[in-house]
Amino acid sequence: MIGLGAMGLGMARNLAKAGYLTAVYNRTAAKTAEFKVAACQSPEALAAEVDIVLICVSADQDVLNIVEAIALTINPGSIVVDLSTVSSATAKKAAACLAEKQVAFLDAPVSGGVEGAKNGTLVMMAGGDAGALEKARPVLEAMAARIIHMGAIGSGQAAKAVNQVMCAGINQAVTEALAFAQAQGLAMDKVIDVISGGAAGNWFLHHRGLTMTQGTFAPGFKLALHHKDLKICQEIAAQAGVSIPLTAMTVADYEWLMAEGYGDEDISALYRLKTHTHL
Ligand code: NAP
């Protein structure tokens, strides 16, 4: 496992529990200390030792740097699975680089938040060779409750982009509605409880509703990372000639919050803008 951030740490713990974890690498080495497996000094060192390399790092260039490094040492016949959220174009570049080494690549971004990573209940949308996915599936099932093969390389990331556009809209709806509730002086715990059980109930309201109304915005999912995803979504939309105004609004809101220093907070920090009370 390469990358022990908010997501990768939970995933690695579940891999260890299932007996699949044999080696870890993290840029900040201290995060590897809890694991009783080989703590590698570099991605290259890790790739030489394993059959399946899992990657979960921040953004496109990070994934490409790691893929270029592991391509130097990885054994032919291995499988590389990228769990990060990046563009389909990056997935295709990574796959092409590894194909030269007879190594299969799967783009397999996930959804379900840090809670899903911790509990092994993520959903995974995978692109790439179906045979490679079947080989990797037992390992991936240690982290994900549902794994759907979307199609060719890049189609996992294309599906994840849909998820990110939807999350932007949900974030706008939930933060705005809760600010509206607060302005009416309602008991926020009761509002969240009752609405969660009805037609407007959703994951984000359930997991982030109370904390945002209490002014707590620990990630979770860093706002700057969702911003990175939405910029990818805007490029796809422009190419496809589709209008995604909720995404444009969210990008602008996030840029304002990032300029104010809130980029490392959870995406629920959008509540700051809606209420103007936590700014
Ligand atoms: P995070 O907590 O910020 O962790 C990022 C990880 O990537 C850390 O292990 C970091 O190492 C490593 N990293 C970053 N740049 C690197 C580089 N150039 N070389 C080597 N390692 C590098 O982020 P996260 O929330 O785990 O997210 C990871 C990926 O999953 C992102 O693509 C994100 O969009 C996606 N994702 C996140 C969520 C969520 O709810 N958080 C849900 C689904 C998908 P250091 O420890 O040294 O910083």
Side-chain angles (χ1 to χ4, degrees):
M1 179 83 203
I2 295 179
L4 301 172
M7 294 298 286
L9 194 61
M11 294 187 205
R13 285 178 182 154
N14 284 321
L15 289 167
K17 254 187 245 161
Y20 288 121
L21 192 70
T22 53
V24 286
Y25 166 79
N26 195 63
R27 183 178 58 182
T28 307
K31 289 191 197 165
T32 63
E34 70 172 84
F35 295 99
K36 293 177 180 57
V37 298
C40 300
Q41 297 301 311
S42 66
E44 300 90 299
L46 180 142
E49 286 190 26
V50 301
D51 306 316
I52 301 183
V53 179
L54 304 167
I55 304 171
C56 189
V57 294
S58 304
D60 293 69
Q61 198 53 51
D62 307 317
V63 170
L64 290 174
N65 290 350
I66 283 174
V67 165
E68 278 165 23
I70 63 179
L72 301 172
T73 55
I74 196 162
N75 299 307
S78 305
I79 301 172
V80 174
V81 186
D82 180 30
L83 307 156
S84 326
T85 303
V86 294
S87 68
S88 300
T90 292
K92 287 174 192 160
K93 274 188 209 163
C97 171
L98 291 164
E100 286 175 21
K101 308 284 170 181
Q102 288 81 51
V103 169
F105 176 85
L106 299 167
D107 53 304
V110 295
S111 179
V114 289
E115 291 84 351
K118 181 174 173 233
N119 299 327
T121 54
L122 293 165
V123 297
M124 189 175 284
M125 29 215 123
D129 179 66
L133 177 60
E134 286 321 301
K135 270 196 205 163
R137 190 178 281 273
V139 173
L140 302 180
E141 281 177 344
M143 305 179 287
R146 289 194 77 197
I147 302 169
I148 307 290
H149 185 227
M150 302 304 302
I153 287 162
S155 59
Q157 295 296 355
K160 176 74 193 208
V162 177
N163 185 82
Q164 298 312 75
V165 167
M166 210 175 284
C167 283
I170 291 167
N171 194 1
Q172 291 288 354
V174 171
T175 52
E176 189 164 299
L178 291 185
F180 177 64
Q182 197 156 56
Q184 296 179 73
L186 290 166
M188 297 307 288
D189 53 343
K190 289 185 185 169
V191 167
I192 292 162
D193 187 29
V194 72
I195 290 178
S196 289
N202 64 78
W203 187 98
F204 189 64
L205 175 66
H206 180 68
H207 286 92
R208 302 284 179 263
L210 208 54
T211 49
M212 75 173 79
T213 61
Q214 292 165 345
T216 302
F217 307 105
F221 183 32
K222 284 180 193 154
L223 194 145
L225 288 181
H226 196 202
H227 175 264
K228 166 252 323 173
D229 300 344
L230 296 180
K231 295 297 281 181
I232 295 171
C233 297
Q234 284 187 307
E235 271 178 41
I236 299 170
Q239 279 164 17
V242 179
S243 163
I244 47 171
L246 271 176
T247 294
M249 179 179 168
T250 310
V251 165
D253 288 348
Y254 283 176
E255 282 174 2
W256 193 90
L257 287 161
M258 285 157 67
E260 293 295 312
Y262 300 121
D264 281 343
E265 290 193 340
D266 187 71
I267 61 167
S268 54
L270 184 60
Y271 190 69
R272 290 180 182 279
L273 262 187
K274 303 287 181 184
T275 56
H276 300 281
T277 52
H278 298 291
L279 292 169

